[in-house]
Structure formats: C-alpha cells, structure tokens
Amino acid sequence: MNKKGVVLIISMVIMAVLLVLTGVYFTGLMTEKRATDRQEFVLQALNLAEAGANHGLSELRERIRTDLKSKVATVHLASVFSGYVTTVNPLGLLRDYAYAAGDTQFSVAAGKATLTLASPSLDTAVAGNYTATITIEANGAPTNPSGEVYLFPYKFSIESIGSVTRTTPNTSKTTRLVQGTFSITTRRDTFAKFALFTSHHGTPSGTTVWFTANTNFTGPVHTNERFSFANNPSAHFTEDVAQHQNTARYYNNGWSTLLDSDHNAAIDVPVFEKTFERGYDIITLTSSITQTDLKNQALGGIAEPGNGISVPNDGTNVLGGIYIRGNQGNHSDDPQITMGTTVDGPVYTILRDGVTKIVTVNYTTNQTTVQTVSGSTDTYQGIPDGLGNEGILIYTNDDVGSLSGVVQQASNVTVSAERDIVIGGNLTYQQYSASPLNADGYTNVLGILSWGGDVRVGTSAPDDVQIHGVVMAPHGVFRVDDYNQDSPRGVATLLGGAITDFYGAFGTFSGSTPTHGYGRNFVYDDRMMHGTTPPYFPYLSNFVSFDDGKLDQKLVWQDKGV
C-alpha cells in the first residue's frame, strides 16, 4: 500500500509539473500572440499614417494645379494679384483660390494656412482611419518681378496620424513630411500657349484648308470658326481641340458635308487623343501688348533713328533692343537676319541695304558689341533686352526678308516686324531633344511676331524645313510661298505654336497623296503651358497660374514615434 501511495504521489507531482509547464507554454503563446498583434497593429497604423500623408500631398497638388489654376483663369484684373503682393498676403491667395466648389478652404491664422483631411471610407480588411494636416507658411514675401507677373513662395509640411481601431485603446502612429518648398506664379495668359490658333480657319481668299494625315498637332488647338478634315486617317491631335461653330467640315470623298461630330462615318476620321469641343466661346486676338509697346521697348526711350541697323544707347549703356528701320514697301532693303551662337551668348548678323552689322551679346560680361563689317566696332554695357529686360528684342518697321539660324542656348528672343517675316532657312534651338522632338528643360526660346503681315516659309527654305519658335500674325497668316507649285517639299516641322488671323496653306494633296508644298508636323512646345513664353509676347485677357514643379520632387517622411 505504501508503494502505491508513493506512485500516486509521484504521478500527481508529474501531472502538476506538466500542468505548470503547459500553462507556462500557453502563457508564452498568448504573450507572443499579443506582441505579434501589437506589432501588426503598429505597422497597420504606420501604413495608415503614410496613406494619410500621401493623401495630403495629392490633395495639395490638386488644389494648386487644378483648383487654383481654374479659379485664376477667371481673373481679368491684375490688381487682384498685386493686392496680395502689396499687402504681403501670400496665404490669402491659397485661402481664396486653392479650393473647388464644395471643398473646405484653407484656414489662415498665426502666419499659417492649414487644411485637415479625414480618411475616406477605406475598403480594406484593416479597421482604422487617418487624419492628415497640411500646413503652409510663406517662404519669403511675394514679389512682382516684371509686368503683370506675380511670384508667391511657400514652404509646407504634412503631418498624418494613422489609427487602428481593433484595439482598446486604439493603436496610433504619426508620420510627418520633412518640410518641402514650392512657389506659384500668376501672370497674364499669353497666346504662346496654343499649338494652333486661328480666328478664321481658311485662307484670306476663302479657300478651305483641309487637315489630312500629313497634319499632326501635339498641343492645344483652337479656331473661332470650324475645322475641315479629310480622309481616313485624317489629322492627329494629342491635346484638346476646340472650335466656335457647332459643326465641323468633312471632305466626304470630294462632296463636303457639315456634321456635329468628331468624324464622318469611316470616310473622314481625325484622331483626337483628348477632346474635340464644338460650340466653344470666341477668343479675340486682342492684347494689352501692342505694336507700339514693342517699338518703344526696342527704341529704349530715344527718338526713332534714320534708316539702318541700330542698338539704341547713350554712348555707354544699351537702352533698348535691336532696332532696324527701312523703306516700307521697298523689298530691296529688307533686312536678312541670321542667328548664331557663342559660348557666352548669341550673335546676330544683319544685312540691310548692303550694310552688314554683327551684334554679339556676352551674357558673362553683360556687354553688347556692335561691329559694322568694313567699319567701326563699338562695345556697350548691357544687353539689347528692351526697357522691361524680358529678353532679346529685334524690331523692324519693315519686312524681314530672311530669318534663319540657331537660337543660342541661354537666349530668349522675339523678332518683331510691322510687315511680313520670311523664314529663309532652318531656324532651330541650340539645345533641344530630337527624338521625340521637344525642348523640355532648356531655356532657349524664340517668338516670331508679324504685326501687320504674314509669316512665310520662303522658297529658299530647304525640304523638310525645321522651325523652332512660336509664330504669331494677328492680322495675317503663317503660310508657305508657292505652296501649290513644283514638287512636294517634304514636311515642315514646327516646334512651338502658330497664332494667326487666317490659316495659311502649306501644300496641296490629291486624295491622300501630297502634290505640292509641305505637309505639316506641328509639335507643341510643352514649356508654353508651364510659364515659358517669348519676351514681350502678346497677352490674353485672363490670368494663368503654375507652380515650379517642386511638389513632384522625392519627399522624405519621418516616423514621429508616437
């Protein structure tokens, strides 16, 4: 019996030990599970916080690039923006313009503009939410650097709290964006933003100009009348297209028809990658910049000199731009302008009435040298960029008989004439990308502006001519001389835009086959949609806004540890 009692006791001890060990084991399992769950909830909270921070950044981009831009486009008075500058109130601009209908506006107090965002309904297996707060401060005073241009600098941060609600208390984590900066520029909108703009989409004689498969546009296109399309495929458009009239014209195998449609069955089919809006409001070709304004800018405040090529100066300093005066209507003395480059700046070789002058601009020394071939050489302080210092300005009261050459890599230039401007050869930027064709990231810009005449591609221009710049003829056309004669000349490629009263002919076709002149390849210079414009270029009546792109830079996030 004693032996049985001992066995029983030993068995009970063993069972007790096993029970204790089992309890310890399960306790360990539960502790480990709670730790694992805790780690999972912390990670989920951190992910929610990061989602909130990304939501905040996305919302900031949307409010600056869509909402504010849309509201600014309705403003016609410069005093609206000059008011924010003179009162040093950049945050007021965000409060008043950076929101869409029905949205909460930024709250401005104590030198900060804030906006708090709650998470939407999250369709995930995670029970939780986030709250993100955007905080913006001025990064210096707003300025009015030139004309009707206004610059607003900012710095910002975004803080987001993510909470997992499966626990009691909730598990929360906070993440914060290391401070970033951006700036907003508002300015009077310019006609340079169009890849193509016409008041009348036909020739001055009333001839219909057809868009065919040889026509390509990679930017905004507008006419105050209607467009005409031929063949399948017809023209190709990558951006928004708009016309004032409700119906477009289709070739219809030679039996033209008007349709309120973006195609004519399978007969005439243009390619619209975005929209083709019909019934759009008329945009008038008027501007607060006038021919007289540019003439005064080029003269620099001095009296108009006699016939010849001059760089207005006071004997020491350049006062205006490059001014060329000739005998209007006498084409024998029309100036021929060839653009060239040096490491330090541009060179302009101008031949007029047997006299050649070479104007060399040195950006490094801030000097301009005027050399008369077989004559004197003079050097002046400053560059021929007009009274407003916007960029190089070449102005003639006459026709330009030939314009060609290379726009120096650091130069912003406008060539302005009171009469016709003839493009006599290739006219290209020194810096650009050939494939795909663009000038993104480069600073050379050219404007070609004929106030009272046409901009013409002359008979001396080569086959497959290249033209880089924004062309404007508010009372004329952009056309090809002898467009309906001789053999086809290939394709005329324009990197920029064309803004004209009427639409000029470039070539002719039979069916889908070119017969004379050039086909069109108009490649939009996307920089014109983001604030770049040739100096002294004519304005629209409304304003436009754009940011400096820093909202797209890679951002650094910090876990605040709470």
Side-chain angles (χ1 to χ4, degrees):
M1 292 293 293
N2 289 337
K3 290 182 179 180
K4 291 181 179 179
V6 170
V7 171
L8 179 61
I9 292 171
I10 292 173
S11 297
M12 293 179 67
V13 169
I14 291 172
M15 291 177 64
V17 170
L18 289 174
L19 288 173
V20 170
L21 292 175
T22 300
V24 170
Y25 174 72
F26 280 108
T27 299
L29 286 178
M30 293 299 295
T31 300
E32 185 175 342
K33 183 179 185 305
R34 282 194 294 269
T36 301
D37 288 344
R38 173 65 181 172
Q39 183 178 12
E40 177 185 0
F41 296 149
V42 168
L43 289 174
Q44 289 175 349
L46 183 59
N47 287 337
L48 286 169
E50 290 183 352
N54 283 304
H55 181 185
L57 182 58
S58 176
E59 181 72 14
L60 179 58
R61 289 170 177 160
E62 176 76 11
R63 286 184 174 241
I64 298 303
R65 295 175 175 174
T66 301
D67 301 338
L68 182 140
K69 183 177 181 179
S70 177
K71 280 186 165 57
V72 165
T74 66
V75 176
H76 297 274
L77 298 175
S79 59
V80 171
F81 302 109
S82 64
Y84 292 111
V85 173
T86 55
T87 59
V88 194
N89 185 23
L91 300 181
L93 177 73
L94 299 179
R95 177 195 60 215
D96 298 339
Y97 287 89
Y99 71 98
D103 282 349
T104 301
Q105 294 174 246
F106 277 95
S107 176
V108 176
K112 297 179 179 181
T114 59
L115 179 69
T116 299
L117 308 171
S119 60
S121 177
L122 301 175
D123 187 17
T124 70
V126 178
N129 53 62
Y130 60 73
T131 301
T133 300
I134 305 169
T135 301
I136 303 176
E137 300 177 71
N139 192 26
T143 59
N144 175 207
S146 65
E148 294 180 323
V149 179
Y150 306 93
L151 178 65
F152 300 88
Y154 301 98
K155 56 185 177 182
F156 73 99
S157 63
I158 301 173
E159 186 165 296
S160 177
I161 301 173
S163 297
V164 174
T165 57
R166 289 174 57 189
T167 62
T168 303
N170 295 345
T171 300
S172 297
K173 293 291 288 183
T174 301
T175 189
R176 182 179 185 273
L177 168 66
V178 175
Q179 184 169 286
T181 65
F182 68 95
S183 64
I184 297 172
T185 300
T186 65
R187 63 161 172 77
R188 187 77 67 177
D189 204 358
T190 77
F191 284 99
K193 74 175 185 179
F194 290 106
L196 174 70
F197 176 99
T198 60
S199 288
H200 310 282
H201 197 72
T203 66
S205 64
T207 302
T208 298
V209 177
W210 297 95
F211 282 156
T212 69
N214 287 328
T215 305
N216 297 284
F217 290 98
T218 57
V221 175
H222 176 93
T223 183
N224 287 333
E225 289 188 340
R226 65 164 55 90
F227 291 119
S228 301
F229 305 100
N231 305 326
N232 182 9
S234 182
H236 184 184
F237 305 89
T238 65
E239 297 295 331
D240 293 331
V241 179
Q243 65 173 42
H244 174 63
Q245 295 183 354
N246 292 320
T247 58
R249 180 182 289 107
Y250 294 94
Y251 190 60
N252 199 36
N253 293 324
W255 300 87
S256 66
T257 184
L258 300 179
L259 299 172
D260 185 4
S261 174
D262 62 2
H263 67 287
N264 173 31
I267 302 171
D268 305 298
V269 184
V271 179
F272 301 102
E273 292 190 16
K274 292 192 176 177
T275 63
F276 176 32
E277 185 170 353
R278 299 171 295 283
Y280 197 88
D281 290 343
I282 286 178
I283 300 173
T284 57
L285 264 174
T286 56
S287 172
S288 57
I289 294 285
T290 67
Q291 173 184 314
T292 301
D293 291 329
L294 262 70
K295 185 174 183 177
N296 292 338
Q297 289 283 346
L299 287 171
I302 70 170
E304 185 175 14
N307 287 353
I309 306 161
S310 62
V311 177
N313 64 87
D314 61 5
T316 302
N317 302 296
V318 176
L319 300 177
I322 300 173
Y323 188 82
I324 308 167
R325 181 176 177 180
N327 296 302
Q328 292 186 349
N330 181 6
H331 294 301
S332 64
D333 68 349
D334 290 345
Q336 299 179 30
I337 303 171
T338 304
M339 298 185 176
T341 69
T342 69
V343 173
D344 296 314
V347 179
Y348 304 104
T349 302
I350 306 171
L351 169 63
R352 183 204 161 271
D353 201 22
V355 177
T356 299
K357 289 194 177 185
I358 302 173
V359 180
T360 302
V361 177
N362 190 316
Y363 290 127
T364 303
T365 62
N366 191 38
Q367 291 179 319
T368 298
T369 299
V370 182
Q371 176 191 358
T372 302
V373 175
S374 301
S376 63
T377 298
D378 299 295
T379 299
Y380 305 101
Q381 197 67 26
I383 59 178
D385 57 1
L387 291 168
N389 307 121
E390 291 187 17
I392 302 295
L393 176 59
I394 302 174
Y395 185 97
T396 177
N397 75 327
D398 203 354
D399 299 84
V400 173
S402 177
L403 176 64
S404 62
V406 178
V407 180
Q408 197 265 349
Q409 62 187 10
S411 297
N412 294 339
V413 191
T414 290
V415 178
S416 176
E418 295 182 12
R419 297 164 70 92
D420 287 2
I421 297 176
V422 179
I423 297 172
N426 287 320
L427 189 57
T428 61
Y429 292 139
Q430 182 180 10
Q431 289 189 330
Y432 69 97
S433 298
S435 183
L437 183 61
N438 70 84
D440 296 348
Y442 299 119
T443 57
N444 34 202
V445 175
L446 174 64
I448 306 168
L449 176 56
S450 168
W451 286 103
D454 301 335
V455 177
R456 299 155 35 207
V457 179
T459 55
S460 65
D463 291 352
D464 298 312
V465 65
Q466 298 279 325
I467 303 167
H468 297 173
V470 182
V471 175
M472 185 169 184
H475 302 290
V477 299
F478 180 31
R479 63 181 175 88
V480 170
D481 286 345
D482 296 340
Y483 73 92
N484 57 354
Q485 299 179 29
D486 301 320
S487 301
R489 301 171 65 181
V491 175
T493 296
L494 174 71
L495 173 57
I499 303 97
T500 59
D501 189 10
F502 289 88
Y503 195 70
F506 267 53
T508 62
F509 66 95
S510 176
S512 60
T513 303
T515 54
H516 306 289
Y518 295 99
R520 286 182 178 85
N521 180 34
F522 283 15
V523 179
Y524 183 60
D525 189 342
D526 191 60
R527 297 177 299 169
M528 303 301 147
M529 286 293 287
H530 300 91
T532 299
T533 186
Y536 305 107
F537 216 71
Y539 295 132
L540 289 159
S541 61
N542 63 288
F543 276 75
V544 65
S545 70
F546 49 90
D547 66 90
D548 58 1
K550 291 185 178 180
L551 290 173
D552 293 322
Q553 291 181 349
K554 186 176 181 179
L555 303 173
V556 179
W557 303 97
Q558 289 182 336
D559 176 8
K560 294 192 69 175
V562 293

